[in-house]
Amino acid sequence: MTRYLLPLAAFALLAIVLGVGIKQSKTKGVVVSPLIGREAPDFTLPDLLAPPKKFDSRSMAGRWYALNVWGTWCVECRAEHEVLVAARQAARLPIIGLNWKDDEAEARSWLAQLGNPYEAVPIDAEGRVAIDYGVYGAPETFLIDPRGVIVHKQIGPLTPEIWERDFVRRATSPTGEGS
Amino acid sequence: MLPELGHFALILALLLAGVQAFFGLAAPALHRDRWLAAVVPATAGHAVMVATAFGCLVASFVRFDFSVAYVAQNSNSALPLVYRIAAVWGAHEGSLLLWIVLLACWTVAAAFGVARLPPRFAARVLGVLGLVSFGFLLFTLATSNPFLRLVPAAPDGRDLNPLLQDPGLAMHPPLLYAGYVGFAVAFAFAVAAMLEGRLDQAWARWTRPWTLAAWAFLSLGIALGSWWAYYELGWGGYWFWDPVENASFMPWLVGTALIHSLSVTDKRGLFKSWTLLLAIIAFSLSLLGTFLVRSGVLVSVHSFAADPARGIFILAFLVIMIGGALTLYAWRAPLLRSDAGFEFASRESFLLFNNILLVIAAATVFGGTMAPLISDSLGLGTLSVGPQYFNPTFLLPMLPLIALAAIGMHANWKRGRLPQRKRPLIVTGLVALAVSAALVFGYYAGRPGLALMSLALGIWLVLSSLIDPVDRLRRGLTLPRAIVGMTLAHVALGVFVIAVTAVETYTTERDVALARGEVAHVGGYDFRFDGVDAIEGPNYDGVHGIVQVTREGQAVVTLHPEKRRYLVQQSVMTEAAIASQAGRDLFVALGEDLGAGRWSLRIQIRPLINYVWLAAALMALGGLVAASDRRYRSARAPAAEAVGPGQGSPA
């Protein structure tokens, strides 16, 4: 009769393997981004705001800042833009706007019309830097600490609440080094 | 308002599925025949609520309701209507709902089908189906609710994954899921029969049409997916042994074995416990496929919305459903006895070998699919299993299977004398060998060996399948649909083998870089590149190349391979241009812009590749025709079991 138990035993074994598989896929980190806690990839790209100068991400060392990935083709970025402009006026955290796979002229007129919340706008025309940062789709925003480590990643548009809670408060908390 | 209505309908569906499962299973178990009356109304209510929920989600998509998170993530104001509807199953939440909808469709069909069967058995079938649906509804509501609102509403959506914006792919998931879910009916019949404790031949008879129909849908779904990979992905192939492809292929292989073993159980009362086990495994593999795709345990080009929390839920569900069924099996199967015997060269033997080979094939696919996961779980490092493993190991059981099929269908039941119609078999075998030798050495030249063998086997199978129907027609007999279906499927398998052999052995492929006006010579055709033009679609822009194809100076066709840039998701998609010419496909995909008017192009000439999918569609048609045989529909055919009072079978 034991042979009729074999399928059940085989299945039990399989279930254990699958269980372990799930556990590992968890520790492997299906978190927001595997880059959190790691050093932000360095890059040098032309700066839309001050051509022909280039923006070097290493120039931000020693400061907290937010790296916002945007493009004029991105509809949700338009809604987010107001939040960023307001944030700039509060001036509590510098924002670098990575202009992703965009048209330069359109990006300029966008900033002229809607206001410029950014300290610098590196132009990532081919999307190479966005790939390094694991960007799925705009908008995405990274919080980077003075040592150049990615502390947090926001997928999708920022709201004033999210900006205050996840970005400004982290950057200015006593445990952080603040700017 | 609509999303809330849909959400509410989903909750009601969950409750009604629970009622259906409870009364369906408890009434026969506790001998409360009056409870039986609750099963069908609960089933109907459950189905109506599922349809309502699905309708609400479809309406949210059609009406651009970007306040629904799922709609905002998978649609866009520029998305055409057809794709807004297809977008409903464009991601995890909606495809789960589609699963549930199709399960409800099968359940309703089963409710009509079992109405003429003994009421307790019918209640158990619906009870098991209710339990399956309950599990999936709970899963949806707990971890993957498609009706969640987005606050604030998105001004516009993020658009449907451009890969999915293709008519082939719009239909691929519904067909595939219809097949997956269809095996739930065979599973429900098996569990009901085990609960009943009476596994006679009637059970196999009742199960056959459902299995055939599910198998047919699965065949179509797989074929459509493969066609899509070829046409849309522009990879130039039709099968990649990707884990998700394998997940759909394993239930297909086991389902094929099940169809054949059911015929033995039906006709001869043999292989009973084996057939039960196959019915359980076929559905288990469908569930496992869902698990593998949804949990993120396996990494694949297909997997979307991987989430470990969902994985744990599905695993628990798997343990309850499959573990429960297999426990029941371990308890009931020993009671089964087959007193009938059969001799070595009888049809039973051939079908036994058919089953063994198909299960071996499924096991090799299973092993290759799970190996990376197992190696990872044991900490042995990352392992990647590709075509180098799958192609040879899969071919090994398949070639003998074709030969056995060609001979086996002429074997007698029970008696072991070698097949009747020995002469036509030998004649067709020789013809097949001669034709394939002529093709391999004459027409195509080169690469004999394996190609010769599999071509000959394919041709032999086609001819051998036709012997019996031709004979019957010549004697003025009518062909029952079961025979027509079987013949279609076997001929299709032969055509499939021939086509795959031709494609695998005789495809010509060249990657070229051409400037405007330059010509590439590939396989007797001249491909002249006439530059690129800008194109504009509803939600994409891009370029298409102009390639003039000529053969010996005669114009053949102009091909327009496209490269599209989808505006919202900013992803670039390749649309290969394919023209079918005299039994072969001319395939041109536009590669990279190399600057100065030069482009890289991939040119392929693939003989008979259309027949790969045509064969698959023919197989599916065969399955459907066989499923519609009147044997399965006649109310009096199976010996009805003795059941309690209140048995009313509408004749």
Side-chain angles (χ1 to χ4, degrees), chain A residues 1 4-5 7-8 11 14-15 17-22 24 26 28 30 73 75-76 101 138, chain B residues 156 158 288 291 311-312 315 318 322-323 326-327 330 333-334 370 373-374 376-377 568 570:
Chain A
M1 291 309 113
Y4 293 107
L5 280 167
L8 188 62
F11 173 70
L14 176 67
V17 169
L18 293 177
V20 174
I22 293 182
Q24 286 194 339
K26 223 180 201 170
K28 259 186 268 170
V30 184
W73 45 268
V75 184
E76 284 164 302
K101 288 190 187 169
Chain B
D156 202 344
R158 296 188 137 204
L288 188 72
F291 171 85
I312 288 168
L315 185 60
L318 277 179
I322 304 176
L326 288 175
T327 308
M370 298 299 289
L373 176 60
I374 293 169
D376 216 21
S377 306
V568 178
Q570 284 293 295

mmCIF file of all heavy atoms in Angstrom, chain A residues 1 4-5 7-8 11 14-15 17-22 24 26 28 30 73 75-76 101 138, chain B residues 156 158 288 291 311-312 315 318 322-323 326-327 330 333-334 370 373-374 376-377 568 570:
data_model
loop_
_atom_site.group_PDB
_atom_site.id
_atom_site.type_symbol
_atom_site.label_atom_id
_atom_site.label_comp_id
_atom_site.label_asym_id
_atom_site.label_seq_id
_atom_site.Cartn_x
_atom_site.Cartn_y
_atom_site.Cartn_z
ATOM 1 N N MET A 1 0.823 -1.212 0.000
ATOM 2 C CA MET A 1 0.000 0.000 0.000
ATOM 3 C C MET A 1 0.855 1.259 0.000
ATOM 4 O O MET A 1 0.407 2.340 -0.316
ATOM 5 C CB MET A 1 -0.923 0.042 1.238
ATOM 6 C CG MET A 1 -2.031 -1.000 1.231
ATOM 7 S SD MET A 1 -2.993 -1.018 -0.308
ATOM 8 C CE MET A 1 -2.534 -2.613 -0.970
ATOM 9 N N TYR A 4 1.126 3.842 -2.883
ATOM 10 C CA TYR A 4 0.125 4.876 -3.130
ATOM 11 C C TYR A 4 0.414 6.147 -2.335
ATOM 12 O O TYR A 4 -0.194 7.178 -2.537
ATOM 13 C CB TYR A 4 -1.271 4.346 -2.808
ATOM 14 C CG TYR A 4 -1.695 3.253 -3.763
ATOM 15 C CD1 TYR A 4 -1.744 1.930 -3.357
ATOM 16 C CD2 TYR A 4 -2.006 3.563 -5.083
ATOM 17 C CE1 TYR A 4 -2.108 0.929 -4.238
ATOM 18 C CE2 TYR A 4 -2.368 2.570 -5.973
ATOM 19 C CZ TYR A 4 -2.419 1.249 -5.554
ATOM 20 O OH TYR A 4 -2.774 0.270 -6.442
ATOM 21 N N LEU A 5 1.353 6.019 -1.379
ATOM 22 C CA LEU A 5 1.743 7.208 -0.615
ATOM 23 C C LEU A 5 2.868 7.973 -1.304
ATOM 24 O O LEU A 5 3.156 9.117 -0.944
ATOM 25 C CB LEU A 5 2.202 6.798 0.789
ATOM 26 C CG LEU A 5 1.062 6.527 1.785
ATOM 27 C CD1 LEU A 5 1.588 5.837 3.026
ATOM 28 C CD2 LEU A 5 0.370 7.838 2.157
ATOM 29 N N PRO A 7 3.189 9.444 -4.276
ATOM 30 C CA PRO A 7 2.902 10.772 -4.840
ATOM 31 C C PRO A 7 2.814 11.843 -3.766
ATOM 32 O O PRO A 7 3.332 12.951 -3.936
ATOM 33 C CB PRO A 7 1.543 10.584 -5.529
ATOM 34 C CG PRO A 7 1.422 9.125 -5.770
ATOM 35 C CD PRO A 7 2.183 8.453 -4.665
ATOM 36 N N LEU A 8 2.183 11.479 -2.637
ATOM 37 C CA LEU A 8 2.039 12.445 -1.546
ATOM 38 C C LEU A 8 3.410 12.835 -1.000
ATOM 39 O O LEU A 8 3.698 14.015 -0.773
ATOM 40 C CB LEU A 8 1.168 11.842 -0.445
ATOM 41 C CG LEU A 8 0.766 12.779 0.677
ATOM 42 C CD1 LEU A 8 -0.058 13.927 0.136
ATOM 43 C CD2 LEU A 8 -0.027 12.029 1.750
ATOM 44 N N PHE A 11 5.176 15.069 -3.350
ATOM 45 C CA PHE A 11 4.608 16.414 -3.302
ATOM 46 C C PHE A 11 5.067 17.161 -2.065
ATOM 47 O O PHE A 11 5.370 18.356 -2.119
ATOM 48 C CB PHE A 11 3.077 16.354 -3.344
ATOM 49 C CG PHE A 11 2.432 17.680 -3.140
ATOM 50 C CD1 PHE A 11 2.528 18.663 -4.116
ATOM 51 C CD2 PHE A 11 1.777 17.980 -1.965
ATOM 52 C CE1 PHE A 11 1.967 19.904 -3.922
ATOM 53 C CE2 PHE A 11 1.210 19.223 -1.755
ATOM 54 C CZ PHE A 11 1.294 20.188 -2.745
ATOM 55 N N LEU A 14 8.399 18.526 -2.671
ATOM 56 C CA LEU A 14 8.303 19.682 -3.576
ATOM 57 C C LEU A 14 7.842 20.917 -2.819
ATOM 58 O O LEU A 14 8.384 22.012 -2.995
ATOM 59 C CB LEU A 14 7.336 19.350 -4.706
ATOM 60 C CG LEU A 14 7.054 20.490 -5.695
ATOM 61 C CD1 LEU A 14 8.304 20.802 -6.494
ATOM 62 C CD2 LEU A 14 5.914 20.135 -6.622
ATOM 63 N N ALA A 15 6.838 20.712 -1.941
ATOM 64 C CA ALA A 15 6.309 21.847 -1.188
ATOM 65 C C ALA A 15 7.398 22.464 -0.320
ATOM 66 O O ALA A 15 7.482 23.690 -0.187
ATOM 67 C CB ALA A 15 5.128 21.397 -0.336
ATOM 68 N N VAL A 17 10.660 22.405 -0.933
ATOM 69 C CA VAL A 17 11.572 23.144 -1.822
ATOM 70 C C VAL A 17 10.973 24.503 -2.189
ATOM 71 O O VAL A 17 11.645 25.538 -2.138
ATOM 72 C CB VAL A 17 11.861 22.328 -3.104
ATOM 73 C CG1 VAL A 17 12.582 23.184 -4.127
ATOM 74 C CG2 VAL A 17 12.682 21.111 -2.767
ATOM 75 N N LEU A 18 9.677 24.503 -2.526
ATOM 76 C CA LEU A 18 9.028 25.758 -2.909
ATOM 77 C C LEU A 18 9.010 26.728 -1.734
ATOM 78 O O LEU A 18 9.242 27.928 -1.891
ATOM 79 C CB LEU A 18 7.601 25.494 -3.395
ATOM 80 C CG LEU A 18 7.487 24.716 -4.706
ATOM 81 C CD1 LEU A 18 6.037 24.453 -5.045
ATOM 82 C CD2 LEU A 18 8.151 25.479 -5.839
ATOM 83 N N GLY A 19 8.760 26.183 -0.537
ATOM 84 C CA GLY A 19 8.752 27.027 0.661
ATOM 85 C C GLY A 19 10.099 27.692 0.868
ATOM 86 O O GLY A 19 10.189 28.897 1.106
ATOM 87 N N VAL A 20 11.154 26.894 0.754
ATOM 88 C CA VAL A 20 12.502 27.444 0.902
ATOM 89 C C VAL A 20 12.756 28.485 -0.181
ATOM 90 O O VAL A 20 13.323 29.550 0.081
ATOM 91 C CB VAL A 20 13.556 26.318 0.840
ATOM 92 C CG1 VAL A 20 14.959 26.904 0.840
ATOM 93 C CG2 VAL A 20 13.376 25.359 2.000
ATOM 94 N N GLY A 21 12.274 28.169 -1.385
ATOM 95 C CA GLY A 21 12.440 29.103 -2.506
ATOM 96 C C GLY A 21 11.825 30.450 -2.203
ATOM 97 O O GLY A 21 12.426 31.493 -2.448
ATOM 98 N N ILE A 22 10.628 30.429 -1.626
ATOM 99 C CA ILE A 22 9.958 31.687 -1.293
ATOM 100 C C ILE A 22 10.747 32.439 -0.241
ATOM 101 O O ILE A 22 10.976 33.638 -0.334
ATOM 102 C CB ILE A 22 8.548 31.417 -0.742
ATOM 103 C CG1 ILE A 22 7.662 30.848 -1.832
ATOM 104 C CG2 ILE A 22 7.948 32.691 -0.201
ATOM 105 C CD1 ILE A 22 6.268 30.614 -1.364
ATOM 106 N N GLN A 24 13.805 32.353 0.388
ATOM 107 C CA GLN A 24 15.030 32.958 -0.143
ATOM 108 C C GLN A 24 14.739 34.143 -1.030
ATOM 109 O O GLN A 24 15.473 35.116 -1.011
ATOM 110 C CB GLN A 24 15.812 31.903 -0.910
ATOM 111 C CG GLN A 24 16.453 30.940 0.049
ATOM 112 C CD GLN A 24 17.495 30.094 -0.618
ATOM 113 O OE1 GLN A 24 17.479 29.948 -1.821
ATOM 114 N NE2 GLN A 24 18.377 29.538 0.157
ATOM 115 N N LYS A 26 12.608 36.117 -0.571
ATOM 116 C CA LYS A 26 12.334 37.212 0.349
ATOM 117 C C LYS A 26 13.640 37.840 0.816
ATOM 118 O O LYS A 26 13.816 39.042 0.783
ATOM 119 C CB LYS A 26 11.572 36.662 1.549
ATOM 120 C CG LYS A 26 10.429 37.538 1.992
ATOM 121 C CD LYS A 26 9.771 36.879 3.176
ATOM 122 C CE LYS A 26 8.362 37.357 3.379
ATOM 123 N NZ LYS A 26 7.678 36.544 4.382
ATOM 124 N N LYS A 28 16.475 37.552 -0.552
ATOM 125 C CA LYS A 28 17.190 38.113 -1.696
ATOM 126 C C LYS A 28 16.749 39.561 -1.901
ATOM 127 O O LYS A 28 17.424 40.339 -2.553
ATOM 128 C CB LYS A 28 16.886 37.310 -2.964
ATOM 129 C CG LYS A 28 17.984 36.325 -3.337
ATOM 130 C CD LYS A 28 17.684 35.678 -4.661
ATOM 131 C CE LYS A 28 16.923 34.391 -4.467
ATOM 132 N NZ LYS A 28 16.399 33.836 -5.734
ATOM 133 N N VAL A 30 13.053 41.288 -2.515
ATOM 134 C CA VAL A 30 12.146 41.818 -3.519
ATOM 135 C C VAL A 30 11.667 43.137 -2.905
ATOM 136 O O VAL A 30 10.487 43.418 -2.850
ATOM 137 C CB VAL A 30 10.994 40.845 -3.806
ATOM 138 C CG1 VAL A 30 10.124 41.376 -4.933
ATOM 139 C CG2 VAL A 30 11.532 39.486 -4.179
ATOM 140 N N TRP A 73 7.729 63.727 -21.248
ATOM 141 C CA TRP A 73 6.764 62.789 -21.807
ATOM 142 C C TRP A 73 5.986 62.059 -20.717
ATOM 143 O O TRP A 73 5.049 61.322 -20.999
ATOM 144 C CB TRP A 73 7.483 61.760 -22.674
ATOM 145 C CG TRP A 73 8.730 61.235 -22.003
ATOM 146 C CD1 TRP A 73 9.987 61.728 -22.145
ATOM 147 C CD2 TRP A 73 8.812 60.175 -21.068
ATOM 148 N NE1 TRP A 73 10.860 61.031 -21.352
ATOM 149 C CE2 TRP A 73 10.161 60.071 -20.681
ATOM 150 C CE3 TRP A 73 7.880 59.290 -20.511
ATOM 151 C CZ2 TRP A 73 10.610 59.121 -19.760
ATOM 152 C CZ3 TRP A 73 8.327 58.353 -19.599
ATOM 153 C CH2 TRP A 73 9.687 58.274 -19.228
ATOM 154 N N VAL A 75 3.507 61.729 -17.868
ATOM 155 C CA VAL A 75 2.322 62.484 -17.484
ATOM 156 C C VAL A 75 2.259 62.726 -15.970
ATOM 157 O O VAL A 75 1.918 63.799 -15.507
ATOM 158 C CB VAL A 75 1.056 61.736 -17.944
ATOM 159 C CG1 VAL A 75 -0.168 62.567 -17.641
ATOM 160 C CG2 VAL A 75 1.138 61.419 -19.420
ATOM 161 N N GLU A 76 2.647 61.710 -15.223
ATOM 162 C CA GLU A 76 2.564 61.850 -13.772
ATOM 163 C C GLU A 76 3.589 62.857 -13.241
ATOM 164 O O GLU A 76 3.429 63.386 -12.149
ATOM 165 C CB GLU A 76 2.759 60.494 -13.103
ATOM 166 C CG GLU A 76 1.527 59.614 -13.208
ATOM 167 C CD GLU A 76 1.833 58.161 -12.895
ATOM 168 O OE1 GLU A 76 2.697 57.594 -13.579
ATOM 169 O OE2 GLU A 76 1.217 57.611 -11.983
ATOM 170 N N LYS A 101 15.712 60.333 -20.984
ATOM 171 C CA LYS A 101 15.292 60.050 -22.376
ATOM 172 C C LYS A 101 14.342 61.126 -22.883
ATOM 173 O O LYS A 101 13.210 60.827 -23.257
ATOM 174 C CB LYS A 101 14.572 58.706 -22.440
ATOM 175 C CG LYS A 101 15.456 57.506 -22.261
ATOM 176 C CD LYS A 101 14.643 56.268 -22.584
ATOM 177 C CE LYS A 101 15.364 54.982 -22.282
ATOM 178 N NZ LYS A 101 14.451 53.844 -22.354
ATOM 179 N N ALA A 138 9.326 56.685 -14.937
ATOM 180 C CA ALA A 138 9.297 57.958 -14.253
ATOM 181 C C ALA A 138 7.893 58.181 -13.694
ATOM 182 O O ALA A 138 6.932 57.671 -14.284
ATOM 183 C CB ALA A 138 9.666 59.075 -15.207
ATOM 184 N N ASP B 156 -3.297 60.436 -15.810
ATOM 185 C CA ASP B 156 -3.307 59.545 -16.954
ATOM 186 C C ASP B 156 -2.654 58.233 -16.529
ATOM 187 O O ASP B 156 -1.997 58.169 -15.498
ATOM 188 C CB ASP B 156 -2.555 60.164 -18.137
ATOM 189 C CG ASP B 156 -2.993 59.538 -19.461
ATOM 190 O OD1 ASP B 156 -3.619 58.460 -19.428
ATOM 191 O OD2 ASP B 156 -2.699 60.120 -20.518
ATOM 192 N N ARG B 158 -0.290 54.617 -16.920
ATOM 193 C CA ARG B 158 1.083 54.308 -17.303
ATOM 194 C C ARG B 158 1.149 53.429 -18.531
ATOM 195 O O ARG B 158 2.218 52.991 -18.933
ATOM 196 C CB ARG B 158 1.783 53.595 -16.158
ATOM 197 C CG ARG B 158 1.917 54.443 -14.939
ATOM 198 C CD ARG B 158 2.796 53.737 -13.941
ATOM 199 N NE ARG B 158 3.721 54.681 -13.368
ATOM 200 C CZ ARG B 158 4.884 54.362 -12.835
ATOM 201 N NH1 ARG B 158 5.266 53.109 -12.809
ATOM 202 N NH2 ARG B 158 5.655 55.273 -12.327
ATOM 203 N N LEU B 288 0.591 24.692 -10.038
ATOM 204 C CA LEU B 288 2.015 24.938 -9.851
ATOM 205 C C LEU B 288 2.511 25.991 -10.838
ATOM 206 O O LEU B 288 3.296 26.869 -10.485
ATOM 207 C CB LEU B 288 2.793 23.634 -10.043
ATOM 208 C CG LEU B 288 4.272 23.697 -9.687
ATOM 209 C CD1 LEU B 288 4.438 23.788 -8.187
ATOM 210 C CD2 LEU B 288 5.008 22.479 -10.218
ATOM 211 N N PHE B 291 1.606 29.186 -9.556
ATOM 212 C CA PHE B 291 2.501 29.496 -8.444
ATOM 213 C C PHE B 291 3.843 30.002 -8.945
ATOM 214 O O PHE B 291 4.345 31.031 -8.501
ATOM 215 C CB PHE B 291 2.701 28.238 -7.597
ATOM 216 C CG PHE B 291 3.767 28.363 -6.551
ATOM 217 C CD1 PHE B 291 3.478 28.919 -5.313
ATOM 218 C CD2 PHE B 291 5.053 27.938 -6.795
ATOM 219 C CE1 PHE B 291 4.453 29.051 -4.358
ATOM 220 C CE2 PHE B 291 6.038 28.063 -5.834
ATOM 221 C CZ PHE B 291 5.738 28.620 -4.607
ATOM 222 N N GLY B 311 3.240 34.335 -2.986
ATOM 223 C CA GLY B 311 3.791 32.987 -3.108
ATOM 224 C C GLY B 311 3.389 32.122 -1.934
ATOM 225 O O GLY B 311 2.980 30.977 -2.106
ATOM 226 N N ILE B 312 3.485 32.673 -0.719
ATOM 227 C CA ILE B 312 3.155 31.878 0.468
ATOM 228 C C ILE B 312 1.688 31.480 0.442
ATOM 229 O O ILE B 312 1.336 30.344 0.731
ATOM 230 C CB ILE B 312 3.487 32.681 1.738
ATOM 231 C CG1 ILE B 312 5.000 32.750 1.879
ATOM 232 C CG2 ILE B 312 2.871 32.039 2.965
ATOM 233 C CD1 ILE B 312 5.486 33.728 2.899
ATOM 234 N N LEU B 315 1.221 28.774 -2.095
ATOM 235 C CA LEU B 315 1.811 27.525 -1.609
ATOM 236 C C LEU B 315 0.858 26.855 -0.620
ATOM 237 O O LEU B 315 0.633 25.639 -0.687
ATOM 238 C CB LEU B 315 3.170 27.802 -0.960
ATOM 239 C CG LEU B 315 3.931 26.551 -0.525
ATOM 240 C CD1 LEU B 315 4.202 25.640 -1.703
ATOM 241 C CD2 LEU B 315 5.241 26.916 0.158
ATOM 242 N N LEU B 318 -1.862 25.326 -2.549
ATOM 243 C CA LEU B 318 -1.386 24.108 -3.202
ATOM 244 C C LEU B 318 -1.367 22.949 -2.218
ATOM 245 O O LEU B 318 -1.809 21.833 -2.524
ATOM 246 C CB LEU B 318 0.053 24.311 -3.713
ATOM 247 C CG LEU B 318 0.310 24.988 -5.032
ATOM 248 C CD1 LEU B 318 1.802 25.077 -5.283
ATOM 249 C CD2 LEU B 318 -0.330 24.198 -6.142
ATOM 250 N N ILE B 322 -3.747 20.034 -3.369
ATOM 251 C CA ILE B 322 -3.040 18.885 -3.934
ATOM 252 C C ILE B 322 -2.735 17.872 -2.835
ATOM 253 O O ILE B 322 -2.943 16.671 -3.000
ATOM 254 C CB ILE B 322 -1.739 19.335 -4.632
ATOM 255 C CG1 ILE B 322 -2.071 20.377 -5.688
ATOM 256 C CG2 ILE B 322 -1.045 18.152 -5.251
ATOM 257 C CD1 ILE B 322 -0.869 20.946 -6.364
ATOM 258 N N GLY B 323 -2.250 18.395 -1.699
ATOM 259 C CA GLY B 323 -1.970 17.503 -0.576
ATOM 260 C C GLY B 323 -3.227 16.742 -0.186
ATOM 261 O O GLY B 323 -3.194 15.528 0.031
ATOM 262 N N LEU B 326 -4.050 14.118 -2.866
ATOM 263 C CA LEU B 326 -3.116 12.989 -2.874
ATOM 264 C C LEU B 326 -3.294 12.121 -1.634
ATOM 265 O O LEU B 326 -3.091 10.903 -1.683
ATOM 266 C CB LEU B 326 -1.668 13.493 -2.989
ATOM 267 C CG LEU B 326 -1.291 14.052 -4.360
ATOM 268 C CD1 LEU B 326 0.106 14.641 -4.350
ATOM 269 C CD2 LEU B 326 -1.385 12.969 -5.432
ATOM 270 N N THR B 327 -3.674 12.734 -0.511
ATOM 271 C CA THR B 327 -3.977 11.946 0.686
ATOM 272 C C THR B 327 -5.186 11.051 0.419
ATOM 273 O O THR B 327 -5.184 9.856 0.733
ATOM 274 C CB THR B 327 -4.263 12.882 1.878
ATOM 275 O OG1 THR B 327 -3.188 13.807 1.987
ATOM 276 C CG2 THR B 327 -4.399 12.090 3.158
ATOM 277 N N ALA B 330 -4.054 8.237 -1.672
ATOM 278 C CA ALA B 330 -3.329 7.194 -0.941
ATOM 279 C C ALA B 330 -4.303 6.309 -0.175
ATOM 280 O O ALA B 330 -4.057 5.124 0.040
ATOM 281 C CB ALA B 330 -2.324 7.836 0.015
ATOM 282 N N ALA B 333 -6.949 4.663 -3.507
ATOM 283 C CA ALA B 333 -6.415 3.904 -4.641
ATOM 284 C C ALA B 333 -6.170 2.428 -4.323
ATOM 285 O O ALA B 333 -6.397 1.574 -5.180
ATOM 286 C CB ALA B 333 -5.143 4.573 -5.153
ATOM 287 N N PRO B 334 -5.701 2.081 -3.098
ATOM 288 C CA PRO B 334 -5.466 0.651 -2.819
ATOM 289 C C PRO B 334 -6.731 -0.189 -2.954
ATOM 290 O O PRO B 334 -6.646 -1.406 -3.150
ATOM 291 C CB PRO B 334 -4.970 0.643 -1.376
ATOM 292 C CG PRO B 334 -4.459 2.011 -1.130
ATOM 293 C CD PRO B 334 -5.284 2.921 -1.971
ATOM 294 N N MET B 370 12.712 23.106 -12.540
ATOM 295 C CA MET B 370 12.872 23.251 -11.093
ATOM 296 C C MET B 370 14.334 23.248 -10.659
ATOM 297 O O MET B 370 14.650 23.700 -9.564
ATOM 298 C CB MET B 370 12.139 22.116 -10.359
ATOM 299 C CG MET B 370 10.649 22.084 -10.582
ATOM 300 S SD MET B 370 9.832 23.579 -10.018
ATOM 301 C CE MET B 370 9.990 23.384 -8.244
ATOM 302 N N LEU B 373 15.838 26.331 -9.168
ATOM 303 C CA LEU B 373 15.247 26.646 -7.882
ATOM 304 C C LEU B 373 15.806 25.742 -6.788
ATOM 305 O O LEU B 373 16.173 26.191 -5.697
ATOM 306 C CB LEU B 373 13.732 26.472 -7.998
ATOM 307 C CG LEU B 373 12.916 26.655 -6.724
ATOM 308 C CD1 LEU B 373 13.109 28.050 -6.180
ATOM 309 C CD2 LEU B 373 11.455 26.396 -7.013
ATOM 310 N N ILE B 374 15.905 24.439 -7.094
ATOM 311 C CA ILE B 374 16.392 23.488 -6.102
ATOM 312 C C ILE B 374 17.850 23.776 -5.784
ATOM 313 O O ILE B 374 18.249 23.820 -4.619
ATOM 314 C CB ILE B 374 16.223 22.044 -6.631
ATOM 315 C CG1 ILE B 374 14.728 21.723 -6.728
ATOM 316 C CG2 ILE B 374 16.921 21.040 -5.734
ATOM 317 C CD1 ILE B 374 14.408 20.449 -7.465
ATOM 318 N N ASP B 376 19.322 26.528 -5.972
ATOM 319 C CA ASP B 376 19.366 27.766 -5.203
ATOM 320 C C ASP B 376 18.973 27.516 -3.747
ATOM 321 O O ASP B 376 19.602 28.025 -2.825
ATOM 322 C CB ASP B 376 18.402 28.776 -5.849
ATOM 323 C CG ASP B 376 18.942 30.183 -5.775
ATOM 324 O OD1 ASP B 376 20.174 30.309 -5.608
ATOM 325 O OD2 ASP B 376 18.161 31.134 -5.880
ATOM 326 N N SER B 377 17.927 26.686 -3.551
ATOM 327 C CA SER B 377 17.440 26.396 -2.195
ATOM 328 C C SER B 377 18.505 25.688 -1.385
ATOM 329 O O SER B 377 18.637 25.885 -0.182
ATOM 330 C CB SER B 377 16.201 25.500 -2.247
ATOM 331 O OG SER B 377 15.231 26.047 -3.063
ATOM 332 N N VAL B 568 4.490 56.341 -23.658
ATOM 333 C CA VAL B 568 4.337 56.470 -22.214
ATOM 334 C C VAL B 568 5.400 55.680 -21.472
ATOM 335 O O VAL B 568 6.056 56.180 -20.574
ATOM 336 C CB VAL B 568 2.929 56.032 -21.783
ATOM 337 C CG1 VAL B 568 2.793 56.121 -20.281
ATOM 338 C CG2 VAL B 568 1.893 56.903 -22.459
ATOM 339 N N GLN B 570 8.080 54.470 -22.810
ATOM 340 C CA GLN B 570 9.382 54.690 -23.400
ATOM 341 C C GLN B 570 10.115 53.394 -23.703
ATOM 342 O O GLN B 570 11.309 53.289 -23.509
ATOM 343 C CB GLN B 570 10.244 55.559 -22.469
ATOM 344 C CG GLN B 570 9.850 57.012 -22.494
ATOM 345 C CD GLN B 570 10.142 57.654 -23.835
ATOM 346 O OE1 GLN B 570 11.293 57.769 -24.229
ATOM 347 N NE2 GLN B 570 9.113 58.058 -24.547
#
